[in-house]
Amino acid sequence: MPTLWLVCLLLVLAAAGFVMGRARALSSAGGDARTLHSLPNYYGLNVALTSLVPALAVLAIWLLAQPIIVESRVSKLIPAETVPEGSTIGLVMSDVRRVAAGLDLVVDAGLLTVPEASGLRAEERDVRALLGEVGVALGADVRPEVLAAAQRSRMLNHTGGLLMTGLVTGLALAGLGWAYVRTNKDFRARNVVERGVLVLLIVAASLAILTTVGIVLSMLFETSNFFRLHDWKDFFFGSTWAPNFRGDSELSILPLLWGTLYISFIALLVSVPIGLFAAIYLSEYAGKATRALAKPLLEILAGIPTIVYGLFALLTVGPTLAKVFGKGGLLGVEWMAGATSVLTAGVVMGIMLIPFVSSLSDDIINAVPQSMRDGSLGLGATRSETVRQVVLPAALPGIVGAILLAASRAIGETMIVVMGAGAIAKFSLNPLDTMTTITTRIVSQLTGDTDFASPETLVAFALGLTLFVLTLGLNVLALYIVRKYREQYE
């Protein structure tokens, strides 16, 4: 049974449990709800949650564990000597997964029956051509061991799916029956339901924390593997970024870090003044009609995909700057070799960040008590003096938070940098030079059929961990500034 249908079945059982639990509670009270310990709906919710929550938890765990177990067992079918030179078992397993998915499509299309797909032999039929008929493109002919592993994978997944359906459905029915039998007029259903909802809220909050911890631990693990293969001194203190999958790579983060900070700095130079001035105007000077029109138009910028900004940088901003600073430009000097540059990416990224700064700053400025404005105006200050000397200092913690959000967004941006700044890692103060950033190199190092055991690939995790530490440092600094200035107004 497909997972979606199984989830629908669980929801139907939960709905039925709600109706049954409510009806049983009223029946045990002789139809008089006043004699019940809890409201009738609590009894229904108790049966529904007891049926639904444990079954969904087991379903989620099963869906996470089954692919890992299946791949672990299937990978043992691939002899080490059959792995092509220059490849890895991971790349072979990706072929196995594609072939297994293709066989499922072949069966669904009616080209083969289930027994025929299970008994298919690479020596007897062109499996690559067969899979091509259902849109699965393979780069080479399917080897016998890959086909055998794919067939084994299909069988294990099918068996696991049947076991999962039976176990989850049985658990849901058992929970429904147990909660239904317990239901009577003296049962404290409200207390049980509220404790259950509290547990769900704690689990939901814990998932976010555990996800962050898992991401950090995974990066730490892969980063430690990288530093076993590559000298940490070259990574942190070298001056050249020159990955070479054939060996003798120079993998220094400093040129990438310089490009990241330089482009982010230019983006903040564009976004912070414009966004902050826009927020001041909308909150302190604009009328209701103007604000109702201008703020939504400004926030439309936040909904534009970054690839569109990248195209804008590549096709409009870059060529415009090249006409001014490039060869044969208006200035008559060649300061810019092409359409890509730090300035191109920084300006477009700054435009993208304007709504982040303006929207958050506007909300913070509006949160400043009106009594502070009235007191300033009552003492004879003008509106502009009130804004400069009262409103902005009071709103400074929130404004710092808005700028921090914009900085974090700029540091993590990829598409605009790829299309607007170029892909050269180097040190330069010239904003018209091409550079690249940490995020761009992470994508580059992990793209394609790469060997995850090589330092040229593992360096992406070291770059990611460094980027995480950099962002964390910005947050700590912003928190310090916020606390320092907030003390003056408490």
Side-chain angles (χ1 to χ4, degrees):
M1 178 184 293
T3 304
L4 179 60
W5 287 107
L6 183 57
V7 172
C8 292
L9 175 61
L10 295 180
L11 293 176
V12 170
L13 288 175
F18 177 82
V19 175
M20 293 168 59
R22 193 176 187 279
R24 182 176 175 83
L26 290 172
S27 175
S28 67
D32 186 2
R34 293 174 299 177
T35 63
L36 294 173
H37 172 273
S38 309
L39 292 175
N41 284 347
Y42 281 108
Y43 293 92
L45 286 173
N46 175 59
V47 178
L49 292 176
T50 306
S51 170
L52 180 64
V53 174
L56 283 180
V58 171
L59 176 62
I61 294 172
W62 194 291
L63 291 175
L64 290 173
Q66 179 174 306
I68 299 174
I69 296 173
V70 169
E71 181 157 339
S72 175
R73 298 187 62 179
V74 171
S75 62
K76 297 178 181 178
L77 300 177
I78 307 295
E81 60 272 12
T82 62
V83 177
E85 185 178 355
S87 182
T88 64
I89 187 65
L91 297 178
V92 175
M93 287 304 301
S94 66
D95 290 337
V96 170
R97 288 190 291 271
R98 283 197 292 267
V99 172
L103 290 176
D104 290 335
L105 294 176
V106 168
V107 173
D108 293 339
L111 299 178
L112 291 177
T113 63
V114 173
E116 288 174 342
S118 301
L120 189 64
R121 294 292 177 266
E123 300 86 354
E124 301 172 357
R125 189 161 182 176
D126 188 350
V127 180
R128 180 183 180 186
L130 178 64
L131 298 181
E133 294 181 24
V134 293
V136 178
L138 299 175
D141 292 335
V142 179
R143 303 194 307 276
E145 64 273 9
V146 172
L147 178 59
Q151 291 167 333
R152 178 66 173 172
S153 175
R154 291 184 66 249
M155 186 192 72
L156 291 175
N157 281 316
H158 178 69
T159 304
L162 293 178
L163 291 175
M164 178 186 70
T165 301
L167 177 61
V168 170
T169 305
L171 185 60
L173 291 173
L176 188 150
W178 181 62
Y180 180 79
V181 170
R182 295 177 65 199
T183 301
N184 57 71
K185 66 184 183 67
D186 297 322
F187 181 68
R188 299 176 179 270
R190 183 186 63 192
N191 298 354
V192 174
V193 169
E194 289 182 348
R195 283 198 301 269
V197 172
L198 178 61
V199 171
L200 289 178
L201 293 175
I202 293 174
V203 170
S206 302
L207 282 176
I209 299 173
L210 293 175
T211 300
T212 303
V213 171
I215 292 172
V216 174
L217 290 178
S218 65
M219 288 194 299
L220 281 173
F221 176 76
E222 298 296 345
T223 301
S224 65
N225 291 336
F226 166 70
F227 285 123
R228 291 192 188 99
L229 301 173
H230 191 82
D231 185 11
W232 65 272
K233 295 178 182 177
D234 176 65
F235 180 75
F236 287 111
F237 303 110
S239 59
T240 305
W241 172 266
N244 183 3
F245 283 90
R246 296 180 180 179
D248 298 328
S249 296
E250 294 182 86
L251 303 173
S252 172
I253 191 177
L254 293 183
L256 305 180
L257 184 60
W258 171 252
T260 300
L261 296 178
Y262 198 1
I263 294 174
S264 300
F265 176 72
I266 293 177
L268 293 177
L269 284 181
V270 174
S271 62
V272 172
I274 296 176
L276 186 56
F277 292 160
I280 293 172
Y281 171 74
L282 291 176
S283 60
E284 299 296 322
Y285 296 98
K288 292 184 177 180
T290 304
R291 176 182 172 85
L293 176 64
K295 189 169 183 179
L297 290 177
L298 186 62
E299 292 179 346
I300 286 176
L301 292 173
I304 299 176
T306 56
I307 185 65
V308 176
Y309 282 110
L311 292 173
F312 177 61
L314 181 65
L315 302 178
T316 304
V317 177
T320 301
L321 292 175
K323 290 179 182 178
V324 177
F325 300 104
K327 184 177 181 180
L330 297 179
L331 298 181
V333 291
E334 187 179 358
W335 289 342
M336 190 172 176
T340 58
S341 68
V342 172
L343 186 61
T344 301
V347 169
V348 176
M349 194 184 298
I351 295 173
M352 180 194 69
L353 296 176
I354 288 174
F356 289 91
V357 178
S358 65
S359 181
L360 289 175
S361 299
D362 177 58
D363 294 338
I364 294 300
I365 292 173
N366 282 322
V368 174
Q370 184 62 35
S371 59
M372 298 182 68
R373 297 180 177 86
D374 296 339
S376 175
L377 296 172
L379 291 173
T382 64
R383 179 176 290 186
S384 62
E385 290 173 336
T386 299
V387 171
R388 293 196 313 270
Q389 300 177 16
V390 177
V391 176
L392 289 181
L396 184 61
I399 293 174
V400 170
I403 296 174
L404 171 67
L405 177 62
S408 300
R409 183 71 178 84
I411 289 173
E413 177 54 38
T414 304
M415 288 308 303
I416 295 176
V417 179
V418 170
M419 305 183 73
I424 300 176
K426 63 180 179 181
F427 295 101
S428 175
L429 288 173
N430 183 5
L432 302 177
D433 275 348
T434 59
M435 291 188 194
T436 189
T437 62
I438 294 176
T439 53
T440 304
R441 292 300 93 194
I442 291 175
V443 174
S444 176
Q445 298 307 113
L446 295 177
T447 302
D449 293 335
T450 56
D451 182 7
F452 272 80
S454 67
E456 290 76 19
T457 301
L458 293 174
V459 68
F461 297 95
L463 293 174
L465 184 61
T466 306
L467 199 62
F468 171 79
V469 173
L470 176 62
T471 306
L472 180 62
L474 286 175
N475 280 274
V476 172
L477 177 62
L479 183 61
Y480 168 76
I481 295 174
V482 167
R483 288 180 175 178
K484 178 179 178 181
Y485 284 92
R486 181 177 294 172
E487 292 175 354
Q488 299 178 9
Y489 302 98
E490 290 182 350

